Structures are given as structure tokens and as C-alpha cells.
Amino acid sequence: MFSLNGTSFTNNSLSGVSRCLNQSSRRVSAPMVVVAAVNSNGKPGDGSVSVLVENALTESPAPVEMEVKSTVTGGVQDVYGEDSATEDQSITPWTLSVASGFSLLRNPHYNKGLAFSERERDTHYLRGLLPPVVISHDLQVKKMMNSIRKYDVPLQRYMAMMDLQEMNERLFYKLLIDNVEELLPIVYTPTVGEACQKYGSIFRRPQGLFISLKEKGKIHEVLKNWPEKKIQVIVVTDGERILGLGDLGCQGMGIPVGKLSLYTALGGIRPSACLPVTIDVGTNNENLLNDEFYIGLRQRRATGQEYSELLDEFMYAVKQNYGEKVLIQFEDFANHNAFDLLAKYGTSHLVFNDDIQGTASVVLAGLMAALNLVGGSLSEHTFLFLGAGEAGTGIAELIALEMSKQTGIPLEETRKKIWMVDSKGLIVKSRMEMLQHFKRPWAHDHEPVQELVNAVKSIKPTVLIGSSGAGRTFTKEVVQAMATFNEKPIIFALSNPTSQSECTAEEAYSWSEGRAIFASGSPFAPVEYNGKVYASGQANNAYIFPGFGLGLIISGAIRVHDDMLLVASEALAEQVSQENFEKGLIYPPFSNIRKISAHIAAKVAAKAYELGLATRLPQPKDLVAYAESCMYSPAYRSYR
């Protein structure tokens, strides 16, 4: 038994195939076939070069005589009956992986396009299937960037990148790694938001697993349909709260796909170890339900026991298929499910919610870095949030934990430095009975306040953080109020995509007379104000989750602990240089993201070992070097 690109062939399967059949009879001998290098568990490995099985053995058997008759139309005989079959008859969809060139060029894991060498073109039957020129990997990147830049519409660039990923995986990741600052807004926020909105129209081929209510009771078997078996990271969404765009149902698949592209490009996780999943329980979005191009279940969202049972089945099927150490990242679940899922599975699975924990970690890192510009310690500042959902309360809790860690003050006391405004106004104790459980720790003694601007004037915060998903809510009056009692007001407008940002970079700088320390969730172009150029920071979760996940994987961690999030924040803040501070930046440039991710991974792994949650023993002496050595490289491999 041997493996052909992950497909097992036994005595009962097709044992040979003619590489070329013409109208006359001819001798056909078994051709060379491309076989992925197989490891001990029978699974192809990403980092191994292809292995060739040749028919040119010392004692080669006599070639098989095969008589092929011409059809009336001059084509090859209809051996399997596809041409003569009617619509109500079944045919067998035979697929073979042979080194006849064409299948190799169609395999995104091994395709190198015009970078195949002269020898590889001879060995793998590629002559005539490619133009004669041989170009380097770097020239391919240059050529692709030239093509992508010709598109004026970001969604067109997104689609071009997705097409490339399905055609040449290593070129896709090298392109993204080498041009991360330019392409990150294309493969992820803000462009991915529009891609999700139009996913039904632009859907071409599956990039992940769709698990719907139709698969209830069969999820274990459905997971086995995914071709890769050694999964290390799963990003899963139910599409109910995609960015700041609301319920997009099944079309939220763009989020797991985008996140996992970043896990590979920025965190070095092998592409074959990543699995995007969308749980489809319906949608309450009437526009989608009435859209003829919608690709999901056409029903209202399932809730209660039906929803819980499907998620339960999924979570335990994942552990049964992939083991204890697979990281499951929850993404864009609505508030009422996000907190419950994290609490429910946090003690039994390796789970991480990027909206709650990842956002919190990256924002805390930005605040710690900002202290270098405004002075004081974290506990000396007062925080006001607009938005008390999973992102806002997650950030607030991590800030309170860090203050407690630094000062030794009980968590209940450090929470009193943090205030929140939701859709009904300032969260105060008089509203306690009506509050959701995750808002109650932030209800303090204060008279009710309805408007954000009045809350700002009353609380006088030094830090204003927006996580509301409501665009342009940091009005001129709000920003000017912040600037009246702060020399350098810290303003974070975190909601995504750009259209939902609480204010723009230009508004923050101009309304504060150039004094604001500003960061946003989606990127903004540099702003010129009074002859000075301001480059705003981006509090992008991509700074944290790729390195965080890598740290969990290299340590073999079995659970996520809050202390891991704190050290990830500290590690990111340490990467901001004095040169960055002089430019007003509180986050390092993305051009160094893989080094940053390795640094974060090392700190997270070290904490896992310290807490006794690591299983990969013994602990490497130099965790940074070890993390870097484990990172996936998109460089082409030579094929024998």
C-alpha cells in the first residue's frame, strides 16, 4: 500500500493508468507517479520533498499491451461510459495523481508554475504544458504583485489572492509574507468583511468545512471528509456577528479562511495543519434568506438545546478526531454564545476566543506601550469604553488583571478604574438587575448617564476605547472633551471594518489638535495636520493570535490560561522601538511580524511550561530559536 497525494491505494483500487492514449494501439507501461513523502503515520508532510516511484527498475516487468479503439468522433474510447450516460445514470468520478504534469500543475501544494526547473519539467512530464521560460520564486512574487496592483477594487484583489491560494500555495504565502503591510488589509479586515457579505456570489470552491444542522449526528464522519488528518488549529464561526456587519450566516466562512491564512503567513503554522469551519444553524438576516445566491440553510437561526447539542457534538468530534492538543479558536460568535462557549469548553478543550481574548491582549499591549508617551502606570489611568460586548468586556477584564498583577490590589478593586457605556448609557449599579451577567462586574456607583459625551465629561477618562461596532460615535464633541482634560488623550477606535470605526484617524488628530494617541481596528492612511504627518497604530489582532497559537503548539499546551494572554501583551509591547515612539506609534511595524510572532510564541510557551500545562518535554533551552525553527517556510522544494 502506498499513498498518492494523501489517497491510499490498496489491492482493490486502480493499480495503473495509461499516461497517454491515442487512436492506434500502443504499448503502455506504468508511468512515474508523484507521491508525497510519507511519515510514520502515513500522512504527507509539508516540509518534505516529493518522492518519485519509477517504473524503470532493474527487473522491469514487460509493458502491458492495451488495445484502444477509436470512436466515431475520433476521440479516445469512452471506457467509463461518461459520454453515453444519461442524467439519471451514475458514473464513477475517478481521480488519479500521476506525474503526467497536468495534475501536478493543478495541485496547489506542489505546483510551482513557471519556477519548475528544466530537469523537473523532464522528470515530471511538464514539457509543453508550460511556456519555455524558467523564472525564480522572487520574480513570480514581483509579477503577481504587479498584477494585483492593477485592480482598483479591493474585493477584486481579494479574489485574485484567493485564486492564487488555490493554484500555488507557496507562492500565495511568500507573496503575503513579503508584502504583509500591503496585503493584510486585502486578505483580512477590512476587505474580508465585504467578501463575507458577497460570499454567496463569489464562492467558487470550498476552502473549509461547512457543518450544518443537516450533519447533526454525523459530524465525526464529516470531519473525516477533510483531506488533511493532522490538524493543529481550527478556526470556527457560526456567522452570527461577523466583524461589525451582523449576522451573515454561512457566508461568514471568509473569516476562518482569512484568520488561518494569517496563522500560516504570520505565525508559521503549516497550511495543512489548519482547518476553517463554519457552523451553519441558519440566519436571521432577511436579506440573505431572500437572496437566491445565498449558500447556507434557508431558515431562522436554531437556538437553545438544538444549538447546544450541535456545538457539543462538534467539540467532542474534534477532540476525538484530532486529539487533546488541537487549538479551537472561536470567531465572531454573538455575545450571548461567545462567553458561554468559552466558559463551557475552557476546562475541557484548548479553546481561545479571539474577539474576547485576542482583542484584549493586543489592546493591552498598545496601552502598555502608550505609557511610554503619556507617563504613569496602568493603575493611574481611568478607562471609559463605548461598547460592553465580548470585545469591550474582554479588554476591560485583561486590563484589570494586569493592574492587579502590577499592584497587588484585588481584581474587584482594579475593575473600579474601568467604566462602560452600552446602548442604554453608562453602566451603573442602579441598572444591575437588568444587566447581562458579563456586564455586571462593570456596574459602579454613579448616577445614570445616557449620552457618551456626558459620560466623558463626568468620568474624565484618560483612555477612551470604542468596541461598539457603531461607526462615527466618537463625535467632535466627544474627542474635544477628551482633549480638554488630557494633554495626550488615548483614543482607540477598534470596531471593524473601517466603515464601523468609531472615528477616523483624521478626525482624532484634527479634533484633538494633533495631541491624540490614536489606534484603530482597521488601518488608516497617515494624516497630515498643521504640517506634521501622523502615522496611526492599528490594534490588529493579527499581532497576537498567530504567535499565541504557535506558542501553544510548540509547547503542546492543553489549556489556555489568562497569564498566557498577559505575557503575550508584554511581549508585543516590548517590540515597540524608540524609533516607533518618536513617530507616535504604539505598535511595531508589520514588516517584522514573523519575528514578533516568534517572540510572543516563546513567552507563551514559557508560561505554559511554568504553569504545568505543557506536554512537549523536555522544554527547549532557547524557545525563541525553537519557535523560529518550527515556522513554516514558503520556499519551493526541489523535486527529484
Side-chain angles (χ1 to χ4, degrees):
M1 177 176 177
F2 60 99
S3 175
L4 284 168
N5 283 352
T7 303
S8 296
F9 281 70
T10 62
N11 292 335
N12 295 327
S13 60
L14 192 63
S15 60
V17 61
S18 170
R19 181 172 177 271
C20 175
L21 302 177
N22 58 23
Q23 297 179 27
S24 60
S25 63
R26 58 172 295 182
R27 286 184 170 184
V28 180
S29 56
M32 301 172 66
V33 296
V34 178
V35 182
V38 179
N39 57 27
S40 59
N41 64 3
K43 180 182 181 301
D46 268 27
S48 304
V49 299
S50 295
V51 178
L52 298 179
V53 178
E54 299 193 30
N55 64 321
L57 303 176
T58 307
E59 296 296 331
S60 175
V64 179
E65 294 285 353
M66 183 179 291
E67 182 73 25
V68 181
K69 296 181 179 180
S70 170
T71 64
V72 174
T73 57
V76 178
Q77 182 180 4
D78 182 17
V79 178
Y80 302 113
E82 289 97 331
D83 295 342
S84 59
T86 60
E87 289 187 4
D88 59 344
Q89 292 176 318
S90 299
I91 62 172
T92 302
W94 296 104
T95 58
L96 297 171
S97 207
V98 299
S100 57
F102 212 66
S103 60
L104 183 58
L105 294 174
R106 294 271 180 114
N107 187 324
H109 305 299
Y110 300 105
N111 181 27
K112 296 197 284 188
L114 294 178
F116 279 110
S117 68
E118 297 287 356
R119 181 183 58 79
E120 289 170 334
R121 295 181 187 211
D122 287 328
T123 306
H124 295 278
Y125 302 100
L126 297 174
R127 289 292 177 188
L129 299 180
L130 291 169
V133 68
V134 176
I135 66 175
S136 68
H137 207 174
D138 288 334
L139 187 58
Q140 283 183 310
V141 169
K142 182 179 180 181
K143 179 182 177 182
M144 283 304 305
M145 282 306 301
N146 183 58
S147 298
I148 288 172
R149 285 168 180 153
K150 290 179 180 178
Y151 292 113
D152 295 325
V153 179
L155 185 60
Q156 292 176 326
R157 295 186 176 192
Y158 173 89
M159 293 173 67
M161 288 294 291
M162 294 304 101
D163 285 343
L164 177 61
Q165 187 176 20
E166 290 298 316
M167 180 178 65
N168 186 332
E169 186 176 84
R170 290 185 180 273
L171 180 56
F172 170 84
Y173 284 112
K174 181 168 176 59
L175 192 73
L176 183 52
I177 291 168
D178 291 355
N179 301 274
V180 63
E181 291 181 303
E182 183 175 351
L183 293 179
L184 185 60
I186 300 300
V187 299
Y188 202 62
T189 182
T191 309
V192 73
E194 183 183 1
C196 288
Q197 288 177 310
K198 300 175 180 177
Y199 204 81
S201 298
I202 66 174
F203 177 81
R204 297 181 181 178
R205 59 188 69 85
Q207 295 176 295
L209 276 180
F210 295 89
I211 298 176
S212 73
L213 291 169
K214 291 181 179 181
E215 283 70 57
K216 190 174 181 182
K218 300 179 287 186
I219 295 179
H220 180 69
E221 288 73 25
V222 171
L223 291 176
K224 291 183 180 296
N225 290 341
W226 189 249
E228 304 294 345
K229 306 307 176 188
K230 192 173 181 181
I231 300 299
Q232 294 177 316
V233 184
I234 293 172
V235 176
V236 58
T237 185
D238 70 353
E240 189 168 5
R241 191 202 61 82
I242 298 299
L243 302 175
L245 302 172
D247 186 351
L248 297 184
C250 188
Q251 298 189 167
M253 177 58 91
I255 297 297
V257 170
K259 286 279 186 178
L260 287 168
S261 294
L262 300 185
Y263 260 114
T264 296
L266 312 187
I269 310 298
R270 291 180 298 107
S272 63
C274 299
L275 174 58
V277 176
T278 290
I279 304 289
D280 186 359
V281 296
T283 179
N284 294 334
N285 187 324
E286 291 294 340
N287 291 332
L288 291 179
L289 291 173
N290 296 321
D291 183 355
E292 64 177 325
F293 299 127
Y294 181 55
I295 60 175
L297 291 178
R298 293 181 184 274
Q299 66 174 60
R300 307 290 293 181
R301 278 190 172 273
T303 58
Q305 184 177 351
E306 186 178 17
Y307 180 89
S308 297
E309 288 176 352
L310 188 70
L311 265 294
D312 250 349
E313 184 185 349
F314 168 74
M315 294 299 292
Y316 287 99
V318 164
K319 184 183 282 191
Q320 188 176 3
N321 272 277
Y322 307 122
E324 183 85 5
K325 293 177 285 187
V326 61
L327 172 61
I328 305 170
Q329 178 172 313
F330 296 122
E331 196 69 36
D332 287 352
F333 284 78
N335 292 338
H336 57 274
N337 288 321
F339 290 101
D340 292 345
L341 292 173
L342 194 58
K344 181 176 182 179
Y345 298 110
T347 56
S348 60
H349 292 69
L350 183 65
V351 294
F352 171 70
N353 186 304
D354 192 43
D355 303 303
I356 299 173
Q357 297 165 298
T359 301
S361 188
V362 75
V363 172
L364 177 59
L367 293 173
M368 295 168 77
L371 297 179
N372 289 277
L373 299 175
V374 299
S377 64
L378 207 60
S379 60
E380 293 177 87
H381 288 269
T382 302
F383 304 84
L384 178 62
F385 283 76
L386 176 63
E390 55 192 286
T393 55
I395 297 166
E397 185 70 7
L398 202 64
I399 292 172
L401 282 169
E402 181 65 18
M403 287 194 287
S404 179
K405 176 185 172 183
Q406 290 180 2
T407 63
I409 298 173
L411 182 62
E412 292 74 17
E413 291 299 312
T414 58
R415 284 173 176 161
K416 293 178 180 178
K417 299 286 291 182
I418 302 170
W419 297 80
M420 293 198 164
V421 173
D422 64 7
S423 60
K424 295 179 175 60
L426 189 67
I427 295 179
V428 294
K429 282 193 172 180
S430 61
R431 295 177 50 195
M432 185 68 80
E433 292 185 3
M434 304 297 294
L435 292 174
Q436 294 164 288
H437 67 90
F438 54 85
K439 295 182 181 181
R440 290 175 181 171
W442 315 105
H444 309 314
D445 288 316
H446 197 283
E447 62 184 20
V449 179
Q450 295 295 320
E451 302 296 329
L452 174 63
V453 65
N454 294 330
V456 169
K457 292 176 180 178
S458 177
I459 302 298
K460 291 183 169 54
T462 53
V463 181
L464 178 65
I465 298 175
S467 59
S468 63
R472 305 302 181 265
T473 43
F474 288 176
T475 63
K476 184 176 183 179
E477 190 178 4
V478 168
V479 174
Q480 287 180 337
M482 285 290 295
T484 58
F485 43 80
N486 291 296
E487 177 61 29
K488 293 182 177 180
I490 299 174
I491 299 174
F492 284 9
L494 302 177
S495 294
N496 289 315
T498 309
S499 60
Q500 304 303 114
S501 182
E502 284 78 10
C503 70
T504 66
E506 183 177 8
E507 290 167 345
Y509 290 123
S510 60
W511 292 341
S512 67
E513 299 175 340
R515 292 186 282 119
I517 297 173
F518 178 77
S520 57
S522 290
F524 284 102
V527 174
E528 184 176 348
Y529 177 78
N530 281 352
K532 183 178 179 181
V533 176
Y534 296 84
S536 62
Q538 186 186 357
N540 194 319
N541 293 19
Y543 277 116
I544 290 291
F545 72 81
F548 189 83
L550 178 62
L552 296 174
I553 290 171
I554 64 174
S555 63
I558 56 172
R559 298 291 180 270
V560 170
H561 192 281
D562 285 340
D563 285 354
M564 297 176 181
L565 298 168
L566 295 178
V567 297
S569 298
E570 293 165 4
L572 176 57
E574 290 170 0
Q575 298 300 303
V576 187
S577 67
Q578 186 58 40
E579 181 183 356
N580 300 143
F581 287 132
E582 290 172 358
K583 296 178 181 178
L585 294 173
I586 54 175
Y587 290 101
F590 261 108
S591 56
N592 299 326
I593 188 60
R594 281 172 72 94
K595 289 187 178 296
I596 295 168
S597 292
H599 188 72
I600 292 172
K603 292 294 183 74
V604 171
K607 182 58 68 172
Y609 283 107
E610 180 186 327
L611 295 170
L613 296 173
T615 62
R616 196 178 300 278
L617 301 173
Q619 177 180 345
K621 292 181 179 179
D622 187 342
L623 279 168
V624 174
Y626 180 63
E628 290 177 339
S629 70
C630 291
M631 296 176 84
Y632 165 85
S633 168
Y636 285 141
R637 281 22 177 193
S638 295
Y639 299 154
R640 286 183 285 186

